[in-house]
Amino acid sequence: GVEALALVLDGHVLVALAQLGDLLDGRLDGLLYMAALRRPALRETADRYMQLSIDALLPYTDPVTAHAATVAMNGITLRGLAGTRPPTRTEVESVLRRILTPNPTLPSPDMA
């Protein structure tokens, strides 16, 4: 499975995993993280996957927000895999909107 592929491909694993993503119906990150729980050798790959996700958001937001959105997306994916039903589009959008949209009731960082 994904574990064997990661061990064999080492540095090229992210390219291979990205190509497999469509076949796995977007559940790739969840499967990678679950495999890394059992196989410490996969943890570096999981870290790189996380960083690539953060990097993909950086053109659109600051580093802390990119990290928060990535963590939220990973959590939503894992919850969808482990739960009785996947999250709806509305649920995902509401979580990401909360992270990506500034809260006007909070003081700006300059005022804190």
Side-chain angles (χ1 to χ4, degrees):
V2 173
E3 296 169 6
L5 181 63
L7 293 174
V8 170
L9 296 176
D10 188 35
H12 302 288
V13 71
L14 293 177
V15 173
L17 289 175
Q19 292 171 348
L20 287 174
D22 291 337
L23 297 175
L24 297 173
D25 192 27
R27 298 183 193 129
L28 178 61
D29 55 345
L31 295 173
L32 175 60
Y33 294 132
M34 287 188 284
L37 288 171
R38 293 188 6 232
R39 297 275 188 139
L42 293 175
R43 292 179 183 167
E44 185 177 324
T45 301
D47 287 346
R48 287 188 294 179
Y49 187 87
M50 174 82 145
Q51 189 59 52
L52 287 173
S53 298
I54 292 168
D55 292 347
L57 294 174
L58 287 177
Y60 308 101
T61 190
D62 63 275
V64 173
T65 303
H67 186 263
T70 299
V71 169
M73 289 185 291
N74 289 339
I76 289 168
T77 299
L78 290 173
R79 180 66 187 124
L81 289 171
T84 57
R85 67 171 184 81
T88 66
R89 180 184 181 115
T90 301
E91 291 167 335
V92 173
E93 284 180 359
S94 66
V95 168
L96 293 177
R97 193 174 312 280
R98 175 60 60 114
I99 293 168
L100 298 171
T101 305
N103 183 340
T105 63
L106 295 176
S108 69
D110 329 335
M111 302 171 86

